[in-house]
Amino acid sequence: MGHDTAEWVFVAIVIAILFYVGVDSWIVQKEVEEIPADAEVIKVTGQQWFWSFEHADGTKEKITLHLQKGHAYNFEIYAKDVMHSFNIPDYVVFEDAVPGHVNHAWFSPDQVGEFPIQCREYCGIGHYQMRGSLVVEEGKS
Amino acid sequence: MVLELRKPRPVWQIMFSTHHTDVALLYTITGMAFLFMAGVLALMIRTHLFFPGQAILISDPATFNRIFTVHGLTMLFLFALPFAAGIGNYLVPIMVRYKDMAYPKLNAVAFWMNPIGGALLWLGFSDTSWVSYAPYSVIRAPGPAADMMIFGLKILGISSILSSINFIVTILKCKHPDLPLRQVPLFAWSILTVSLMTVVAMPTYAASLIMLLTDRLGVSGFFNPSLGGDPIAYLHLFWFTFHPEVYIFLLPAIGMMYELIPRFSRKPLFSQGSGVFAFVMLGLIGFASWGHHMYSTGMDFTTKVVFMIGTLAAVPASGMHVFNFLATMWGGRIRFAAPMKFAVGGIALFFSAGAGGVLNSAMPLDFITHGTYWVVGHMHLFLTGTIAFGFVAMMYYMFPFITGRMYSEKLANIHFIMMMWGTVQVFFTQHLLGLEGMARRIYDYPPEFTSWVQLNQIATVGAWILGGSFVIFLANLIYHSAKGKEANMDDPFGLGGKYYYPYQAKNPTHHTGY
Amino acid sequence: MSHTEQEEPIPRTSPRRLGKMLAIIIGIQVVGAAIFFTHYDYWNSYQPNAEKIQLGLGTNTQQKQGQATGKTINVSLKFVESSDFKTLAFNAVSGSDHNPEIHANVGDKIVFDVTNAGKSYHAFAVTDSKEGPGPAIEGTTVGTADSPMKPKESGQATFVPSKPGEYYYICAVPGHRELGMEGKIEVAPSGGAAQPSGTEVKPTGNKVEFTLGFVMSSDSKQYAFNALPGQTGSNPDIKVKSGDTVTIHVKNNSKSYHAFGIVVDPDSQPAVLWNSAVKSADSPMKPNESGDVTFVAGAPGTYHYICTVPGHAALGMDGKFIVEP
């Protein structure tokens, strides 16, 4: 019927847009999830209510993390008690810290400076204070 | 039909009646009461977040956590579901041309579980957040509040399942033999879809609640890693129920808009068939997308893709509804009474909420928005912008039929402008806040982030406007239910005689049919 | 399709009926609120069993408090925070007041007066674990991590150590101890019994000798043995074994009058034990006078060697005389 054609066209446009979103997401996510082989592993442990870090060479840091610009880092994320979410918003590093699981997220900071770290999964009264700092320094290659 | 059925009935007779219209009123009125209680909590939260570093109204983070938990639980389980059940109870038997619901006593029992569940939730005032993720709710949430919450939710879940069974049997088995199913009004179709979805989805949640309880007692380790369990299991069980559940919240409001828009456009509905198809499709596909709430939990790539496809596949169904509404309005002689204003406003906000949702479902973009105020803005655009707008529209529409009087159109106009403005101001702003990185469920934020401070303040002002609009709404309804001008029971909205209102009967045994 | 004739007037709600319905709704809410607020502390009062199981999966030797037989030590502590919230401490964020160290003996009653002088929430506890927020020793807590002290709130806790060693007073909110809210409590051993008994024992034949000198500052404000307070060697600890035959050479190197003796506690039990006195308050040692005393060290415990002239021990002439078993 005549007036149904408009509806088909509309639905077709919607599906086309969604298809585009889906395919583009697929491509981008595939790229994002490929962790480079030379990424340095940094162990991140989330617990109520602070983040602690351990570098590949054993150096431990609490709350503030010092990294070098231009290097790739692969975070191994652990949780000690309840669920947390490790997040560096400026670099879209975001992965849950789940007790009993190890999650991974990688990135490579390309700017020197200080960037906030926060927890993005509700974990109790200290959730809002579970903040830290990422300090990116010039790389000594 | 009118609230006062025969010579003024004693209030207790209304309260303990099993007739579908009375139960409907009970559902609706308690739903509204809980709406305002939860609304007060929301205003407390927004006011507190106006200034960082200050404890305005909320003295400590523990109280803050309890407030947002109870706000969420109340709005969803004690307002959205019961209100839809209420309007459903009122209209569905009329729409299928039957004298009452299939099981009237069960109907009343299902209603009375709501205040009991609500009492448990409100007395306990737990702090687990409404999703109550393990392991926090297992090993940290203090009792007895969290246990009361679990029991309360179980009772509410059972209530939901019982009323769903009632609706399914009423619509499928008790409908008049001369009425083919595909001609049953779309509102009844939305209730049917929602009831079928509830019966499939809710038992999973009931199971996960029992598991939470036994985990808390220490006798099981379903979600406790130190006893061999996995917190992610809870997330899967929870979201398997609650993703379909968000569609369960939404569909009755869409169904209500289907009642209002053709009538107030004075034009027949564009396509009954598309509406039915869209409801059924959403009901089925809604079960395929729960993992999009868990993108960051460490699932592998393929799983994430499957859930993304499932999420995107449900969007065309919603698009079909919007098209249906717009095509119905196109070329109609629209009477913009209050119900129509709210219905149209609801559609506009529904569209914007959906657009934001598409962004969320795109995997990489979800990592920017998950757990931030973007999600808060997105879900509230759906909940307030579509569902509340639809419910309010329906309230205004049913008002003359239930009370026999008319509300004030002028006050309703003010209500509409304020509610539209307030909703946009709070929830669009929260999308921006989320992009700035502000996390959810936080008691306080660093004052150095000036963009956060400004956006929070804008959002709080919007919330106050929204709250004010609800006060006007309540005043309008309460005052005019007793003192309003008597409505013309044949055509309260002045649409002209050709567009009938099917619920004109004055007593429960006399239905006009459709 | 619609019936337009009205067979009878449609009954509509009256204000009285509406009022009744509103009264019911609001009445229920008021009753509910009353129940909630009168029992406000009950609803979130205990932790789930699962938490106890989880915490107990590590070591769970919960210390109990001892008997208060020693002296009372009053400690006033305030939770403080640096403005960027990256450093937390007790009393002061840095400087000499920062996280004061407490010295006590087994059996001393340490009374903590704790106030939250910060902007955030905290909880006080005494624990013997070296890291982490607990477990707290029973009775030493003010507030807990899940029900903490709000700003300006204060409370009291008492700690009577039953065993010697290193204890810590901390903020029990997870993360706060790591950010600096931790202070040490050194509990000196007293060989088992809370307060030394002072009973005499048979000599073992072992002989030891010590030399002590009364000293005083030139402004007569500071008193001590051997060296002035703050200087090395002031009020040296003397350690002997129970049953030793102890000889102490005492010299008055000050311009005032003094006398010597070993006591259990100069405040509560100033009686001189084991005939260890050199002169007395009534007949003291003059400036530059010296004297000796030989006695058998009695039951194990931490005693004090003091100047027995009233007031001088309180002014500083008080050192530890530790008798080991």
Side-chain angles (χ1 to χ4, degrees), chain B residues 2 4 9 37 60-61 66 123 138-145 215-217 226 404-405 478 486, chain C residues 7 10-13 17-18 25 29 36 42-51 54 57 121 150:
Chain B
V2 170
E4 306 306 309
R9 290 189 297 166
M37 286 161 75
D60 60 290
R66 292 182 190 132
L123 284 178
V138 171
I139 60 172
R140 287 284 187 268
D215 264 25
R216 280 178 63 80
L217 294 172
S226 16
R405 299 178 195 273
I478 291 184
E486 292 185 6
Chain C
E7 286 122 15
I10 297 171
R12 294 181 167 91
T13 308
R17 311 251 304 127
L18 180 67
I25 297 176
Q29 291 180 341
F36 177 69
Y42 167 63
W43 309 113
N44 283 277
S45 54
Y46 58 81
Q47 292 300 110
N49 246 354
E51 183 187 44
Q54 202 209 30
L57 286 175
Y121 52 90
K150 302 181 194 150

CSV table of all heavy atoms in Angstrom, one decimal, chain B residues 2 4 9 37 60-61 66 123 138-145 215-217 226 404-405 478 486, chain C residues 7 10-13 17-18 25 29 36 42-51 54 57 121 150:
chain,number,residue,atom,x,y,z
B,2,VAL,N,-16.4,6.2,37.2
B,2,VAL,CA,-16.1,7.2,38.2
B,2,VAL,C,-15.7,6.5,39.5
B,2,VAL,O,-16.2,5.4,39.9
B,2,VAL,CB,-17.3,8.1,38.4
B,2,VAL,CG1,-17.2,9.0,39.6
B,2,VAL,CG2,-17.5,8.9,37.1
B,4,GLU,N,-16.4,7.2,42.5
B,4,GLU,CA,-17.5,6.9,43.5
B,4,GLU,C,-18.5,6.1,42.7
B,4,GLU,O,-19.4,6.6,42.0
B,4,GLU,CB,-18.1,8.2,43.9
B,4,GLU,CG,-17.1,9.2,44.5
B,4,GLU,CD,-16.3,8.5,45.6
B,4,GLU,OE1,-17.0,8.0,46.5
B,4,GLU,OE2,-15.1,8.6,45.5
B,9,ARG,N,-19.0,5.0,48.6
B,9,ARG,CA,-18.6,3.8,49.2
B,9,ARG,C,-17.6,4.1,50.3
B,9,ARG,O,-16.8,5.0,50.1
B,9,ARG,CB,-17.9,2.9,48.2
B,9,ARG,CG,-18.9,2.3,47.2
B,9,ARG,CD,-18.2,1.2,46.4
B,9,ARG,NE,-17.1,1.8,45.6
B,9,ARG,CZ,-16.2,1.0,45.1
B,9,ARG,NH1,-16.2,-0.3,45.2
B,9,ARG,NH2,-15.3,1.6,44.3
B,37,MET,N,7.8,10.2,47.0
B,37,MET,CA,8.8,9.9,48.0
B,37,MET,C,10.2,9.8,47.4
B,37,MET,O,11.2,10.3,47.8
B,37,MET,CB,8.5,8.6,48.7
B,37,MET,CG,7.3,8.8,49.7
B,37,MET,SD,6.5,7.3,50.2
B,37,MET,CE,7.7,6.5,51.3
B,60,ASP,N,26.7,12.5,55.2
B,60,ASP,CA,27.9,11.6,55.1
B,60,ASP,C,27.7,10.7,53.9
B,60,ASP,O,26.5,10.5,53.5
B,60,ASP,CB,28.1,10.8,56.3
B,60,ASP,CG,26.9,9.9,56.7
B,60,ASP,OD1,25.9,10.5,57.0
B,60,ASP,OD2,27.0,8.7,56.5
B,61,PRO,N,28.8,10.1,53.4
B,61,PRO,CA,28.6,9.3,52.2
B,61,PRO,C,27.7,8.0,52.4
B,61,PRO,O,27.1,7.6,51.4
B,61,PRO,CB,30.0,8.9,51.8
B,61,PRO,CG,30.9,9.4,52.9
B,61,PRO,CD,30.2,10.3,53.7
B,66,ARG,N,22.7,5.3,50.6
B,66,ARG,CA,21.4,4.7,50.8
B,66,ARG,C,20.4,5.5,50.1
B,66,ARG,O,19.4,4.9,49.6
B,66,ARG,CB,21.1,4.8,52.3
B,66,ARG,CG,22.0,3.9,53.1
B,66,ARG,CD,21.8,3.8,54.5
B,66,ARG,NE,22.9,3.0,55.0
B,66,ARG,CZ,23.7,3.4,56.1
B,66,ARG,NH1,23.4,4.4,56.8
B,66,ARG,NH2,24.7,2.6,56.4
B,123,LEU,N,12.2,0.8,55.0
B,123,LEU,CA,12.6,0.7,56.4
B,123,LEU,C,14.1,0.3,56.5
B,123,LEU,O,14.9,0.8,57.3
B,123,LEU,CB,11.8,-0.3,57.2
B,123,LEU,CG,10.4,0.2,57.6
B,123,LEU,CD1,9.6,-0.9,58.3
B,123,LEU,CD2,10.5,1.4,58.5
B,138,VAL,N,27.4,-8.8,49.0
B,138,VAL,CA,27.5,-10.1,49.7
B,138,VAL,C,28.4,-9.9,51.0
B,138,VAL,O,28.0,-10.3,52.1
B,138,VAL,CB,28.2,-11.2,48.8
B,138,VAL,CG1,28.5,-12.4,49.6
B,138,VAL,CG2,27.2,-11.5,47.7
B,139,ILE,N,29.6,-9.2,50.8
B,139,ILE,CA,30.5,-9.2,51.9
B,139,ILE,C,30.6,-7.9,52.6
B,139,ILE,O,31.2,-7.8,53.7
B,139,ILE,CB,31.9,-9.6,51.5
B,139,ILE,CG1,32.5,-8.7,50.5
B,139,ILE,CG2,31.9,-11.1,51.1
B,139,ILE,CD1,33.9,-9.0,50.2
B,140,ARG,N,30.0,-6.8,52.1
B,140,ARG,CA,30.2,-5.6,52.7
B,140,ARG,C,28.9,-4.9,53.2
B,140,ARG,O,28.8,-4.1,54.1
B,140,ARG,CB,30.9,-4.6,51.8
B,140,ARG,CG,32.3,-4.9,51.6
B,140,ARG,CD,33.2,-4.5,52.9
B,140,ARG,NE,34.6,-4.7,52.6
B,140,ARG,CZ,35.3,-5.8,52.9
B,140,ARG,NH1,34.7,-6.8,53.4
B,140,ARG,NH2,36.5,-5.9,52.5
B,141,ALA,N,27.8,-5.1,52.4
B,141,ALA,CA,26.6,-4.3,52.7
B,141,ALA,C,26.0,-4.7,54.1
B,141,ALA,O,25.8,-5.9,54.4
B,141,ALA,CB,25.5,-4.6,51.6
B,142,PRO,N,25.8,-3.7,54.9
B,142,PRO,CA,25.4,-4.1,56.3
B,142,PRO,C,24.0,-4.6,56.4
B,142,PRO,O,23.1,-4.3,55.6
B,142,PRO,CB,25.5,-2.8,57.1
B,142,PRO,CG,25.7,-1.7,56.1
B,142,PRO,CD,26.0,-2.3,54.8
B,143,GLY,N,23.7,-5.5,57.3
B,143,GLY,CA,22.4,-6.0,57.6
B,143,GLY,C,21.8,-5.2,58.7
B,143,GLY,O,22.5,-4.5,59.4
B,144,PRO,N,20.5,-5.4,59.0
B,144,PRO,CA,19.6,-6.1,58.2
B,144,PRO,C,19.1,-5.4,57.0
B,144,PRO,O,18.2,-6.0,56.3
B,144,PRO,CB,18.4,-6.3,59.2
B,144,PRO,CG,18.5,-5.1,60.1
B,144,PRO,CD,19.9,-4.8,60.2
B,145,ALA,N,19.6,-4.2,56.7
B,145,ALA,CA,19.0,-3.5,55.6
B,145,ALA,C,19.1,-4.2,54.3
B,145,ALA,O,18.1,-4.3,53.5
B,145,ALA,CB,19.8,-2.2,55.4
B,215,ASP,N,24.4,-16.4,50.0
B,215,ASP,CA,25.8,-15.9,50.0
B,215,ASP,C,26.1,-15.1,51.2
B,215,ASP,O,27.2,-15.2,51.8
B,215,ASP,CB,26.2,-15.2,48.7
B,215,ASP,CG,26.8,-16.1,47.7
B,215,ASP,OD1,26.6,-17.3,47.7
B,215,ASP,OD2,27.5,-15.5,46.8
B,216,ARG,N,25.2,-14.2,51.5
B,216,ARG,CA,25.4,-13.2,52.6
B,216,ARG,C,25.4,-14.0,53.9
B,216,ARG,O,26.2,-13.7,54.8
B,216,ARG,CB,24.2,-12.2,52.7
B,216,ARG,CG,24.4,-11.1,51.7
B,216,ARG,CD,23.2,-10.2,51.8
B,216,ARG,NE,23.1,-9.6,53.1
B,216,ARG,CZ,23.8,-8.5,53.5
B,216,ARG,NH1,24.6,-8.0,52.7
B,216,ARG,NH2,23.6,-8.1,54.7
B,217,LEU,N,24.6,-15.1,54.0
B,217,LEU,CA,24.6,-15.8,55.2
B,217,LEU,C,25.9,-16.7,55.3
B,217,LEU,O,26.2,-17.2,56.4
B,217,LEU,CB,23.4,-16.8,55.2
B,217,LEU,CG,22.1,-16.0,55.3
B,217,LEU,CD1,20.9,-17.0,55.2
B,217,LEU,CD2,21.9,-15.3,56.7
B,226,SER,N,36.2,-16.0,47.3
B,226,SER,CA,36.9,-16.8,48.3
B,226,SER,C,36.3,-18.1,48.6
B,226,SER,O,36.9,-19.0,49.2
B,226,SER,CB,37.1,-16.0,49.6
B,226,SER,OG,36.3,-14.9,49.7
B,404,GLY,N,-14.8,12.3,37.3
B,404,GLY,CA,-16.0,13.0,36.9
B,404,GLY,C,-15.7,14.5,36.8
B,404,GLY,O,-16.7,15.2,36.5
B,405,ARG,N,-14.5,14.9,37.1
B,405,ARG,CA,-14.3,16.4,37.0
B,405,ARG,C,-13.1,16.6,36.1
B,405,ARG,O,-12.4,15.7,35.7
B,405,ARG,CB,-13.9,16.9,38.4
B,405,ARG,CG,-15.0,16.7,39.4
B,405,ARG,CD,-14.5,17.2,40.8
B,405,ARG,NE,-15.3,16.8,41.9
B,405,ARG,CZ,-16.4,17.4,42.3
B,405,ARG,NH1,-16.9,18.5,41.7
B,405,ARG,NH2,-17.2,16.9,43.3
B,478,ILE,N,-5.1,16.8,42.9
B,478,ILE,CA,-5.7,16.7,44.2
B,478,ILE,C,-6.9,17.7,44.3
B,478,ILE,O,-8.0,17.3,44.7
B,478,ILE,CB,-4.7,16.8,45.4
B,478,ILE,CG1,-3.8,15.6,45.4
B,478,ILE,CG2,-5.5,16.9,46.7
B,478,ILE,CD1,-2.8,15.7,46.5
B,486,GLU,N,-17.3,20.1,36.9
B,486,GLU,CA,-17.8,18.7,36.5
B,486,GLU,C,-17.5,18.5,35.0
B,486,GLU,O,-17.8,19.4,34.2
B,486,GLU,CB,-19.3,18.6,36.8
B,486,GLU,CG,-19.5,18.6,38.3
B,486,GLU,CD,-21.0,18.3,38.6
B,486,GLU,OE1,-21.8,18.0,37.6
B,486,GLU,OE2,-21.3,18.4,39.8
C,7,GLU,N,-28.6,7.7,33.3
C,7,GLU,CA,-29.7,7.2,34.1
C,7,GLU,C,-29.9,7.9,35.4
C,7,GLU,O,-31.0,8.1,35.9
C,7,GLU,CB,-29.6,5.7,34.2
C,7,GLU,CG,-29.9,4.9,33.0
C,7,GLU,CD,-28.7,4.0,32.6
C,7,GLU,OE1,-27.9,3.8,33.5
C,7,GLU,OE2,-28.7,3.6,31.4
C,10,ILE,N,-24.1,11.3,38.3
C,10,ILE,CA,-22.9,10.5,38.6
C,10,ILE,C,-22.3,11.0,39.9
C,10,ILE,O,-22.1,12.2,40.1
C,10,ILE,CB,-21.9,10.8,37.5
C,10,ILE,CG1,-22.4,10.3,36.1
C,10,ILE,CG2,-20.6,10.2,37.8
C,10,ILE,CD1,-21.6,10.7,35.0
C,11,PRO,N,-22.2,10.1,40.9
C,11,PRO,CA,-21.6,10.6,42.1
C,11,PRO,C,-20.1,10.9,42.0
C,11,PRO,O,-19.4,10.2,41.4
C,11,PRO,CB,-21.8,9.3,43.0
C,11,PRO,CG,-22.0,8.2,42.2
C,11,PRO,CD,-22.4,8.7,40.8
C,12,ARG,N,-19.7,12.0,42.5
C,12,ARG,CA,-18.4,12.4,42.4
C,12,ARG,C,-17.8,12.6,43.8
C,12,ARG,O,-18.5,12.8,44.7
C,12,ARG,CB,-18.3,13.7,41.6
C,12,ARG,CG,-18.7,13.6,40.1
C,12,ARG,CD,-18.5,14.9,39.4
C,12,ARG,NE,-18.6,14.7,37.9
C,12,ARG,CZ,-19.8,14.7,37.2
C,12,ARG,NH1,-20.9,14.9,37.8
C,12,ARG,NH2,-19.7,14.5,35.9
C,13,THR,N,-16.4,12.6,43.9
C,13,THR,CA,-15.7,12.7,45.1
C,13,THR,C,-16.0,14.1,45.8
C,13,THR,O,-16.0,15.1,45.2
C,13,THR,CB,-14.2,12.6,44.9
C,13,THR,OG1,-14.0,11.4,44.2
C,13,THR,CG2,-13.5,12.5,46.2
C,17,ARG,N,-14.1,13.2,51.5
C,17,ARG,CA,-13.6,11.9,51.1
C,17,ARG,C,-12.2,11.9,50.7
C,17,ARG,O,-11.4,11.1,51.0
C,17,ARG,CB,-14.5,11.3,50.0
C,17,ARG,CG,-15.9,11.4,50.3
C,17,ARG,CD,-16.6,10.1,50.6
C,17,ARG,NE,-16.4,9.2,49.6
C,17,ARG,CZ,-15.9,8.0,49.8
C,17,ARG,NH1,-15.6,7.5,51.0
C,17,ARG,NH2,-15.8,7.1,48.8
C,18,LEU,N,-11.9,13.0,49.9
C,18,LEU,CA,-10.5,13.1,49.4
C,18,LEU,C,-9.6,13.3,50.6
C,18,LEU,O,-8.5,12.7,50.6
C,18,LEU,CB,-10.4,14.4,48.5
C,18,LEU,CG,-9.1,14.6,47.9
C,18,LEU,CD1,-8.6,13.5,47.0
C,18,LEU,CD2,-9.0,16.0,47.2
C,25,ILE,N,-3.0,7.9,53.3
C,25,ILE,CA,-1.7,7.8,52.6
C,25,ILE,C,-0.6,8.5,53.4
C,25,ILE,O,0.4,7.9,53.7
C,25,ILE,CB,-1.8,8.5,51.2
C,25,ILE,CG1,-2.8,7.8,50.3
C,25,ILE,CG2,-0.4,8.5,50.6
C,25,ILE,CD1,-2.9,8.4,49.0
C,29,GLN,N,2.7,7.0,55.7
C,29,GLN,CA,4.1,7.5,55.5
C,29,GLN,C,4.7,8.0,56.9
C,29,GLN,O,5.8,7.8,57.2
C,29,GLN,CB,4.1,8.6,54.5
C,29,GLN,CG,3.9,8.1,53.1
C,29,GLN,CD,3.9,9.2,52.1
C,29,GLN,OE1,3.8,10.4,52.4
C,29,GLN,NE2,4.0,8.9,50.8
C,36,PHE,N,11.1,4.2,61.2
C,36,PHE,CA,12.5,4.2,60.6
C,36,PHE,C,13.4,5.0,61.5
C,36,PHE,O,14.5,4.6,61.8
C,36,PHE,CB,12.4,4.8,59.2
C,36,PHE,CG,13.8,4.9,58.5
C,36,PHE,CD1,14.5,3.8,58.2
C,36,PHE,CD2,14.3,6.2,58.3
C,36,PHE,CE1,15.7,3.9,57.6
C,36,PHE,CE2,15.5,6.3,57.7
C,36,PHE,CZ,16.2,5.2,57.3
C,42,TYR,N,19.6,0.8,64.0
C,42,TYR,CA,19.5,-0.6,63.8
C,42,TYR,C,19.6,-1.1,62.4
C,42,TYR,O,20.2,-2.2,62.1
C,42,TYR,CB,18.2,-1.1,64.4
C,42,TYR,CG,17.8,-2.5,64.1
C,42,TYR,CD1,18.6,-3.6,64.5
C,42,TYR,CD2,16.8,-2.8,63.3
C,42,TYR,CE1,18.3,-4.9,64.2
C,42,TYR,CE2,16.5,-4.1,63.0
C,42,TYR,CZ,17.3,-5.1,63.4
C,42,TYR,OH,17.0,-6.4,63.1
C,43,TRP,N,19.1,-0.4,61.5
C,43,TRP,CA,18.9,-0.9,60.1
C,43,TRP,C,20.2,-1.3,59.4
C,43,TRP,O,20.2,-2.2,58.6
C,43,TRP,CB,18.1,0.1,59.2
C,43,TRP,CG,16.8,0.6,59.9
C,43,TRP,CD1,16.6,1.8,60.3
C,43,TRP,CD2,15.7,-0.2,60.2
C,43,TRP,NE1,15.3,1.9,60.8
C,43,TRP,CE2,14.7,0.7,60.8
C,43,TRP,CE3,15.3,-1.5,60.0
C,43,TRP,CZ2,13.5,0.2,61.2
C,43,TRP,CZ3,14.1,-2.0,60.4
C,43,TRP,CH2,13.2,-1.1,61.0
C,44,ASN,N,21.3,-0.5,59.7
C,44,ASN,CA,22.5,-0.9,59.1
C,44,ASN,C,23.6,-1.2,60.1
C,44,ASN,O,24.6,-0.6,60.2
C,44,ASN,CB,23.0,0.3,58.2
C,44,ASN,CG,22.2,0.4,56.9
C,44,ASN,OD1,22.5,-0.3,56.0
C,44,ASN,ND2,21.2,1.2,56.9
C,45,SER,N,23.2,-2.1,61.0
C,45,SER,CA,24.1,-2.3,62.2
C,45,SER,C,25.1,-3.4,62.2
C,45,SER,O,26.0,-3.4,62.9
C,45,SER,CB,23.2,-2.5,63.4
C,45,SER,OG,22.3,-3.6,63.2
C,46,TYR,N,24.9,-4.4,61.4
C,46,TYR,CA,25.8,-5.5,61.4
C,46,TYR,C,26.3,-5.9,60.0
C,46,TYR,O,25.6,-5.7,59.1
C,46,TYR,CB,25.3,-6.7,62.2
C,46,TYR,CG,24.0,-7.3,61.7
C,46,TYR,CD1,24.0,-8.2,60.6
C,46,TYR,CD2,22.8,-7.0,62.3
C,46,TYR,CE1,22.9,-8.7,60.1
C,46,TYR,CE2,21.6,-7.6,61.8
C,46,TYR,CZ,21.7,-8.4,60.7
C,46,TYR,OH,20.5,-9.0,60.3
C,47,GLN,N,27.5,-6.5,60.0
C,47,GLN,CA,28.0,-6.9,58.7
C,47,GLN,C,27.5,-8.4,58.4
C,47,GLN,O,27.3,-9.1,59.3
C,47,GLN,CB,29.5,-6.9,58.8
C,47,GLN,CG,30.1,-5.5,58.9
C,47,GLN,CD,29.7,-4.7,57.7
C,47,GLN,OE1,29.0,-3.8,57.8
C,47,GLN,NE2,30.3,-5.0,56.5
C,48,PRO,N,27.4,-8.7,57.1
C,48,PRO,CA,26.9,-10.0,56.8
C,48,PRO,C,28.0,-11.1,57.2
C,48,PRO,O,29.2,-10.8,57.3
C,48,PRO,CB,26.8,-10.0,55.3
C,48,PRO,CG,27.6,-8.9,54.8
C,48,PRO,CD,27.6,-7.9,55.9
C,49,ASN,N,27.5,-12.3,57.5
C,49,ASN,CA,28.3,-13.4,57.8
C,49,ASN,C,29.4,-13.6,56.8
C,49,ASN,O,30.6,-13.9,57.2
C,49,ASN,CB,27.5,-14.7,57.8
C,49,ASN,CG,27.4,-15.3,59.2
C,49,ASN,OD1,28.0,-14.8,60.1
C,49,ASN,ND2,26.6,-16.3,59.3
C,50,ALA,N,29.1,-13.4,55.6
C,50,ALA,CA,30.1,-13.7,54.5
C,50,ALA,C,31.4,-12.8,54.7
C,50,ALA,O,32.4,-13.3,54.4
C,50,ALA,CB,29.5,-13.4,53.1
C,51,GLU,N,31.2,-11.6,55.2
C,51,GLU,CA,32.4,-10.8,55.4
C,51,GLU,C,33.3,-11.4,56.5
C,51,GLU,O,34.5,-11.5,56.3
C,51,GLU,CB,32.1,-9.4,55.8
C,51,GLU,CG,33.3,-8.5,56.0
C,51,GLU,CD,33.0,-7.1,56.5
C,51,GLU,OE1,32.3,-7.0,57.5
C,51,GLU,OE2,33.6,-6.2,56.0
C,54,GLN,N,35.2,-14.2,55.0
C,54,GLN,CA,36.2,-13.8,54.1
C,54,GLN,C,37.4,-13.2,54.9
C,54,GLN,O,38.5,-13.5,54.5
C,54,GLN,CB,35.7,-12.7,53.1
C,54,GLN,CG,36.5,-12.7,51.9
C,54,GLN,CD,36.5,-11.3,51.3
C,54,GLN,OE1,36.4,-10.3,51.9
C,54,GLN,NE2,36.7,-11.3,50.0
C,57,LEU,N,39.6,-15.8,56.6
C,57,LEU,CA,40.3,-16.8,55.9
C,57,LEU,C,41.8,-16.5,56.0
C,57,LEU,O,42.6,-17.3,55.6
C,57,LEU,CB,39.9,-16.8,54.4
C,57,LEU,CG,38.5,-17.4,54.2
C,57,LEU,CD1,38.1,-17.3,52.8
C,57,LEU,CD2,38.6,-18.9,54.6
C,121,TYR,N,35.3,11.5,56.6
C,121,TYR,CA,34.9,10.6,57.6
C,121,TYR,C,36.0,9.7,58.0
C,121,TYR,O,36.9,9.3,57.2
C,121,TYR,CB,33.7,9.8,57.2
C,121,TYR,CG,34.0,9.1,55.9
C,121,TYR,CD1,34.5,7.8,55.9
C,121,TYR,CD2,33.7,9.7,54.7
C,121,TYR,CE1,34.9,7.2,54.7
C,121,TYR,CE2,34.1,9.1,53.5
C,121,TYR,CZ,34.6,7.9,53.5
C,121,TYR,OH,34.9,7.3,52.3
C,150,LYS,N,31.7,11.2,61.6
C,150,LYS,CA,31.5,12.3,60.7
C,150,LYS,C,32.4,13.4,61.2
C,150,LYS,O,32.9,13.4,62.3
C,150,LYS,CB,30.1,12.7,60.7
C,150,LYS,CG,29.2,11.6,60.3
C,150,LYS,CD,27.7,12.0,60.2
C,150,LYS,CE,26.9,10.8,60.2
C,150,LYS,NZ,25.6,10.9,60.7
